[in-house]
Amino acid sequence: MRNRVPGEKLLFWVGSSKDDLLAFPDAVIDEMGTALSVAQFGGKHPKAKPWKGQGAGVFEIVEDHRGDTYRSVYTVRFQNAVYVLHAFQKKSPSGIQTPKRDIDLIGRRLREARLDYETRYGKA
């Protein structure tokens, strides 16, 4: 295991988020991987924007590729960790709106991330 750089946060994946992201096209994986690396070192990638509905510290990365839209949602709310909450291809039957099932899943996984963080590091 390599030594961590000062200020670097560990990256954790909640649920199927890692497998889901790795199923994306290579160009999308590369861009999202870069954005997550920036978050690990305390920065904010230009394509990362606040995720509405979960409050501060939750971001989404949106990447368009060959007419399809891919998203990953992560949180930087915790001092020592970044948690990837969800990665999905956007297929909304209602235009630009994110499906309720994805919104609900992100909320559940954010609660799972908090519990995991508290188990690892104590109360946030």
Side-chain angles (χ1 to χ4, degrees):
M1 180 176 201
R2 68 177 176 81
N3 291 332
R4 286 179 41 205
V5 175
E8 177 185 9
K9 296 181 175 190
L10 293 176
L11 183 67
F12 296 105
W13 303 85
V14 183
S16 63
S17 59
K18 184 174 186 178
D19 290 337
D20 295 339
L21 188 136
L22 291 175
F24 293 170
D26 288 344
V28 175
I29 293 170
D30 289 347
E31 188 68 25
M32 290 187 175
T34 298
L36 291 170
S37 292
V38 170
Q40 276 187 272
F41 288 95
K44 183 177 160 288
H45 190 273
K47 288 191 175 182
K49 61 184 184 177
W51 171 261
K52 294 176 177 77
Q54 294 298 333
V58 180
F59 295 90
E60 72 173 327
I61 306 158
V62 179
E63 185 66 26
D64 293 320
H65 181 74
R66 297 187 178 172
D68 293 319
T69 300
Y70 300 87
R71 292 181 173 190
S72 61
V73 179
Y74 65 94
T75 184
V76 295
R77 285 185 179 171
F78 310 109
Q79 181 177 353
N80 298 305
V82 172
Y83 282 85
V84 182
L85 305 172
H86 191 27
F88 59 106
Q89 182 177 354
K90 179 130 176 356
K91 295 181 179 179
S92 176
S94 56
I96 62 170
Q97 187 174 9
T98 302
K100 183 174 178 355
R101 65 178 163 70
D102 289 309
I103 294 168
D104 292 345
L105 179 63
I106 290 164
R108 282 193 309 273
R109 288 185 174 175
L110 183 58
R111 287 187 294 278
E112 289 176 34
R114 176 171 302 288
L115 290 173
D116 180 77
Y117 188 83
E118 289 174 355
T119 299
R120 291 174 190 270
Y121 301 102
K123 294 263 183 199

